[in-house]
Amino acid sequence: MDWFKKLIAQITALWGKWSMVQRIVLVGIVAAAILGIGAVVSVSASPAMVPVIDAPIRDEAARDRIVTRINQEGVRATVNAAGIIQVQDEKTAQKMRGILIREDMIPSGTDPWAIFDRERWTITDFERNVNLRRSITLMVENHIMALDDVDRANVAIVMPQERLFASEQDPVTASVLIVPKPGSDITQNRKKIEGIQKLLKYAIEGLKDDNIVITDQTGMILNDFAGMAEMDRLSRIERETRMVRQLEAQYRAKILGSLQHTFTSDRVRDLDIKIDMDMSQRTVSTTEFFPFVERARTPGLPYDDSVIHTSVTRSYSTSTTSWEGTGFNPEGPPGVEGQTPPVMRDMSNLYGSVSQETKTVNEEINTRVSQEEKSPTIDRVTVSVNIDGTWRMRRDAKGGPTLGEDGSIERIYSPMSPEDIRQTQIMIQNAIGYNAIRGDSVTVHNIQFDRTKQFHDEDDAYFRQKQFQTAIVIVLIGLAVLLFGFVVFRIVSQAIERKRRLEAEERARREEALRQQALMQAEEDGMDVSISVEERTRMELMESVATMAREHPEDVAQLIRTWILEE
């Protein structure tokens, strides 16, 4: 502790003796050292990139395809100056190697051993071979376990000792046991199993497909592709059936859409279509000779008008011979008397004339040798569709619907005309490429749909509307009656109020007249009449009103009109 205090005191004393330039130089050196240490730490802490394939890839197109495939897996890949593709860690690199091998994306000419990160040992041959086999086994297991579909893997490789003669050499064998992850389809996916098999062939020199056995944890052999022929056949049948169904759906959507645009979707609700297809793919070599069909049968005719030649003459020869004369009469063996009569003996051995005619006809026979590869073709198309007629309500003389005995609305059904059915059939035939020779069939029916529920709902809606209209009319009539009663009540009330007011005015006028008369009588009699305050105020008000009426008669008249309108 004392030493530390002395060191601090010495540094402080030395700092006080230094000039400003020396202090700046020291601070710069310390700052540069701190920055250098930070840079070294950051560089050493940055993750090291791991090569996917150790060998550089010179083909830019192949390299771009590999980088694109790695990016599709959500992994960032970089390419250094030497052309080596790198990822962030070894686990990711192993996974990408397995994918590239499975999809045959390793460029041709790449050393298959370069994709396995193996170390070399310069020890005895036996130990080198053992270590080599262990290294290959471990790396193959790592590659297989890096696949998303594999939970665990166990690899056993047998590399027999080399023999002098190739006939005595034992083959290299490999056995792989994989445990699939839950939900994986690797046991049924032939492509993934073939990827593992290719990975083994890349890793092990001299390994052949026949010497590779891949099993799952239950012991079932997964790479028995010969035994999977039946499964492949079922899969092919399933794909062919799916293709036929898709084709039927396309035809159905096309025809049904056209019919619904023409007759509305309410009249055309369903359409049945069946397509028979020949899914076999084969190469056929055909040599055709006569007989041949000179004219095919006309489609649509009820009888067969085709012309067929059952044979053709390739060569024809005619020979005719005629003889005129006695000819040669034999007389039997030498030394024996002949049987020719004496009369004919003088005419014997005479020459006659021979006429011979030969006619030869040799026609060239038509021979056609054709070789074609047949792909899936349509054998037969059958279409059946039902189109409903039209319905309309029966109207009465006032234009309203007519009701039947059961209280429902009567309707009239109009079926499709034969001409409309024929035109619809022609339209469907043109849509499917109708071919009568292959047995296509198009049927258009006109059968009424069951519209009981629809008509019941329409009747209910109609009657509800009528009830609503009736209720509206009743309410309006009630409102009119109330309005009329209110108007009558208002008129009667105003009349009564006016009568009451007139009576009050008349009574007040009579009282005023009597009061004035009494005052005048009192003045005439010389009596001292005392007037109350209210009476005096009333008299003054009456005098001011009379004065205003005389001075402003128009304003008074307007005020009186306003009072009358308000009442």
Side-chain angles (χ1 to χ4, degrees):
M1 193 67 179
D2 294 338
W3 174 83
F4 183 73
K5 291 181 180 180
K6 292 180 180 179
L7 179 62
I8 295 298
Q10 293 177 359
I11 293 174
T12 303
L14 185 61
W15 180 265
K17 297 179 181 179
W18 285 354
S19 63
M20 183 60 65
V21 176
Q22 291 175 335
R23 293 177 182 179
I24 293 174
V25 171
L26 180 61
V27 171
I29 293 173
V30 173
I34 293 174
L35 292 176
I37 295 173
V40 171
V41 171
S42 62
V43 171
S44 61
S46 61
M49 302 299 286
V50 178
V52 178
I53 301 175
D54 291 342
I57 301 175
R58 306 299 181 186
D59 188 357
E60 295 183 0
R63 188 170 58 207
D64 293 340
R65 286 195 301 269
I66 294 174
V67 172
T68 303
R69 183 65 183 89
I70 294 175
N71 292 335
Q72 290 176 357
E73 297 293 327
V75 177
R76 180 177 175 272
T78 60
V79 182
N80 60 13
I84 297 177
I85 301 175
Q86 299 175 332
V87 293
Q88 62 269 22
D89 53 31
E90 179 62 27
K91 184 178 180 180
T92 304
Q94 293 176 357
K95 180 179 178 181
M96 293 303 104
R97 292 188 198 115
I99 293 175
L100 295 179
I101 293 173
R102 183 182 67 194
E103 300 184 3
D104 288 334
M105 297 187 67
I106 302 297
S108 60
T110 302
D111 184 8
W113 298 102
I115 64 174
F116 298 96
D117 188 10
R118 305 189 321 276
E119 296 182 357
R120 304 290 182 175
W121 291 273
T122 55
I123 52 180
T124 63
D125 292 341
F126 177 78
E127 292 179 343
R128 183 184 297 109
N129 294 333
V130 171
N131 292 334
L132 175 62
R133 183 174 60 187
R134 292 176 59 187
S135 176
I136 294 175
T137 302
L138 180 61
M139 295 306 296
V140 170
E141 287 183 357
N142 292 336
H143 285 318
I144 295 176
M145 293 178 61
L147 300 177
D148 294 334
D149 299 289
V150 179
D151 188 14
R152 296 190 307 276
N154 188 3
V155 179
I157 302 174
V158 177
M159 296 181 178
Q161 185 178 1
E162 293 185 1
R163 301 291 184 179
L164 179 61
F165 299 100
S167 59
E168 299 177 356
Q169 179 65 43
D170 295 330
V172 179
T173 60
S175 175
V176 180
L177 186 147
I178 60 175
V179 178
K181 289 184 178 179
S184 173
D185 63 339
I186 190 171
T187 57
Q188 291 85 23
N189 195 322
R190 179 171 181 172
K191 185 177 180 181
K192 294 180 180 179
I193 299 300
E194 288 179 346
I196 297 177
Q197 188 166 305
K198 291 178 183 178
L199 187 145
L200 292 170
K201 291 172 61 178
Y202 264 100
I204 305 169
E205 182 181 3
L207 183 62
K208 298 181 179 180
D209 294 337
D210 297 338
N211 299 325
I212 299 176
V213 176
I214 303 176
T215 63
D216 60 1
Q217 71 276 18
T218 62
M220 183 177 65
I221 299 177
L222 303 180
N223 65 331
D224 185 12
F225 302 127
M228 296 174 64
E230 184 65 21
M231 185 180 298
D232 294 341
R233 188 181 68 85
L234 295 176
S235 178
R236 180 175 59 84
I237 293 175
E238 182 180 356
R239 291 195 304 270
E240 292 173 354
T241 304
R242 189 184 306 114
M243 185 176 70
V244 174
R245 296 293 175 265
Q246 291 177 354
L247 185 61
E248 290 176 349
Q250 292 176 3
Y251 273 94
R252 182 182 182 277
K254 179 181 178 181
I255 299 172
L256 192 61
S258 300
L259 294 177
Q260 288 180 348
H261 283 307
T262 304
F263 298 103
T264 71
S265 59
D266 185 58
R267 294 179 59 190
V268 184
R269 300 181 182 179
D270 200 4
L271 180 144
D272 296 328
I273 183 169
K274 180 68 171 65
I275 299 177
D276 297 330
M277 294 189 67
D278 182 10
M279 307 299 295
S280 60
Q281 294 183 354
R282 59 185 183 275
T283 302
V284 179
S285 178
T286 306
T287 302
E288 296 183 3
F289 299 95
F290 288 107
F292 65 94
V293 178
E294 180 179 352
R295 184 179 64 192
R297 178 178 178 176
T298 303
L301 290 180
Y303 58 90
D304 188 1
D305 64 339
S306 60
V307 177
I308 301 175
H309 291 270
T310 58
S311 63
V312 65
T313 302
R314 183 174 184 180
S315 179
Y316 180 81
S317 178
T318 302
S319 179
T320 303
T321 304
S322 61
W323 169 265
E324 292 181 0
T326 60
F328 176 74
N329 296 321
E331 295 183 357
V336 178
E337 183 71 20
Q339 301 297 323
T340 303
V343 72
M344 298 294 295
R345 191 173 297 171
D346 295 338
M347 300 177 61
S348 65
N349 299 328
L350 297 179
Y351 293 97
S353 61
V354 177
S355 175
Q356 185 174 2
E357 179 182 358
T358 301
K359 180 180 180 182
T360 302
V361 178
N362 188 5
E363 296 181 1
E364 183 68 25
I365 188 170
N366 289 336
T367 303
R368 180 174 61 188
V369 179
S370 60
Q371 186 172 0
E372 59 180 353
E373 182 176 351
K374 290 187 176 182
S375 57
T377 57
I378 297 177
D379 287 344
R380 187 168 182 262
V381 180
T382 58
V383 181
S384 176
V385 62
N386 180 36
I387 303 177
D388 194 9
T390 57
W391 292 86
R392 61 183 179 87
M393 294 183 181
R394 189 186 298 275
R395 302 285 180 176
D396 54 15
K398 297 181 180 180
T402 304
L403 301 181
E405 296 179 356
D406 57 350
S408 62
I409 300 174
E410 293 185 354
R411 293 173 175 83
I412 302 174
Y413 178 75
S414 299
M416 290 183 64
S417 64
E419 180 63 22
D420 291 342
I421 294 177
R422 189 181 67 84
Q423 293 294 335
T424 303
Q425 186 175 5
I426 293 175
M427 183 182 69
I428 297 175
Q429 290 176 353
N430 294 333
I432 66 173
Y434 178 81
N435 188 352
I437 297 177
R438 68 185 182 189
D440 293 353
S441 174
V442 175
T443 306
V444 179
H445 302 281
N446 180 208
I447 304 175
Q448 296 183 18
F449 291 160
D450 183 10
R451 298 179 181 269
T452 304
K453 185 177 183 304
Q454 176 185 348
F455 292 161
H456 183 269
D457 296 340
E458 291 178 356
D459 293 349
D460 290 344
Y462 172 76
F463 290 127
R464 283 197 300 270
Q465 183 180 4
K466 294 292 292 184
Q467 292 175 358
F468 181 73
Q469 292 176 354
T470 303
I472 292 295
V473 171
I474 294 174
V475 171
L476 292 178
I477 292 174
L479 291 176
V481 171
L482 291 176
L483 181 61
F484 178 75
F486 177 76
V487 172
V488 172
F489 174 77
R490 183 66 177 172
I491 293 174
V492 172
S493 300
Q494 290 180 354
I496 294 174
E497 181 67 22
R498 187 179 298 108
K499 183 178 180 181
R500 184 185 61 78
R501 188 171 62 253
L502 292 176
E503 290 177 354
E505 291 177 355
E506 182 64 22
R507 185 170 54 255
R509 188 182 61 77
R510 289 196 301 268
E511 291 176 355
E512 182 65 22
L514 292 175
R515 187 181 296 107
Q516 293 293 335
Q517 185 178 1
L519 290 175
M520 292 176 61
Q521 186 66 31
E523 289 179 356
E524 291 178 355
D525 295 340
M527 298 176 63
D528 187 8
V529 181
S530 59
I531 302 175
S532 62
V533 177
E534 291 81 2
E535 190 68 22
R536 187 177 301 279
T537 303
R538 184 173 176 278
M539 293 179 61
E540 292 178 355
L541 181 61
M542 293 293 292
E543 290 178 358
S544 61
V545 171
T547 303
M548 183 178 294
R550 288 193 299 271
E551 294 179 354
H552 305 283
E554 295 180 357
D555 296 339
V556 175
Q558 183 66 29
L559 178 61
I560 293 173
R561 284 196 294 270
T562 304
W563 286 349
I564 293 173
L565 291 176
E566 289 179 354
E567 293 178 356

